[in-house]
Amino acid sequence: TADGDLITLCEDRILKILANKDAVFNADGNTNLTATAKVLGQAIPYSGDFGISKNPESFASQSYRVYFTDKIRGAVIRLSKDGLTPISDYGMKDWFRDNIKLSNKLIGNFDDKKNEYNITLDNSTDGLPKTLSFREDVRGWVSFKSFIPENGVSCANEYYTFFNGKIYLHHDENVQRNTFYSDVLQSPFTPSSVDIIFNDAPDIVKSFKTINYEGSKAKVNK
């Protein structure tokens, strides 16, 4: 719900259905709200040609934001007070268009402790499942994760995922880092790695949202 109204995620459209009120349209196209005895009133579509396709498991909510995927259009969408936004366009547009269509399951959940929306694809272009994380404060996809959950949920500021029917607590300081589901996997530890991409203009100072770089004169080989 949003402001007491019902948010409906359809296969090809996202709607807001007014609750205990209805919309009266003026001649200029503007709307006025009026009280009504109807439980559900006018259905108003959000602008943007997006839906949740056939992957309701990708849905996750946090505060006033809603996240989900649109497999048909190869996009990951956020619904907030400013409407629908394809967050997959933030540096990952081509990657998601290539990989989402290969997956049958798109499992979404929100990690309240890290403020990240995690989306798991059960298949990708290299034939392996993938988990990615999106953060609002940097407006971008910050990491690939090495855990592939069956589902996930946040409760009381703790983040839990499910694997082989068992529930696991994340961000536990008593467990070795980068270790997930260690009692059932052959390789429980996954080393961290960072891929850094720079452009071909070394004389220009770059500024990134997640990695800050500053420099003066570039190295010149005589």
Side-chain angles (χ1 to χ4, degrees), residues 29-177:
N30 294 324
T31 59
N32 294 319
L33 295 180
T34 179
T36 178
K38 297 179 180 178
V39 177
L40 299 177
Q42 182 77 25
I44 302 174
Y46 284 94
S47 60
D49 188 21
F50 295 107
I52 199 171
S53 296
K54 296 182 179 180
N55 301 99
E57 72 277 5
S58 66
F59 175 87
S61 64
Q62 186 271 334
S63 186
Y64 55 88
R65 299 187 183 97
V66 168
Y67 303 88
F68 57 94
T69 63
D70 188 342
K71 181 179 179 180
I72 295 175
R73 295 162 184 85
V76 183
I77 310 299
R78 177 192 64 213
L79 172 60
S80 187
K81 292 183 177 180
D82 58 353
L84 294 170
T85 303
I87 58 175
S88 52
D89 288 359
Y90 296 157
M92 297 287 286
K93 183 176 182 179
D94 290 339
W95 192 93
F96 276 109
R97 283 193 173 182
D98 292 340
N99 288 272
I100 280 184
K101 63 184 180 182
L102 301 176
S103 298
N104 294 317
K105 286 186 178 180
L106 301 167
I107 301 170
N109 46 78
F110 197 88
D111 183 350
D112 282 346
K113 200 157 191 176
K114 296 295 183 181
N115 291 321
E116 294 176 347
Y117 170 67
N118 294 326
I119 178 70
T120 299
L121 291 71
D122 68 353
N123 193 13
S124 61
T125 52
D126 60 6
L128 299 175
K130 294 285 191 300
T131 298
L132 298 82
S133 296
F134 176 85
R135 286 180 66 99
E136 290 288 346
D137 54 354
V138 300
R139 292 172 60 85
W141 298 88
V142 295
S143 181
F144 283 88
K145 300 294 179 64
S146 59
F147 60 90
I148 308 297
E150 295 172 347
N151 212 327
V153 65
S154 288
C155 181
N157 203 35
E158 295 288 355
Y159 180 56
Y160 303 90
T161 62
F162 299 85
F163 187 83
N164 280 354
K166 297 181 180 179
I167 185 170
Y168 294 84
L169 171 67
H170 287 241
H171 316 307
D172 187 351
E173 297 295 335
N174 298 319
V175 178
Q176 185 182 13
R177 293 183 182 275

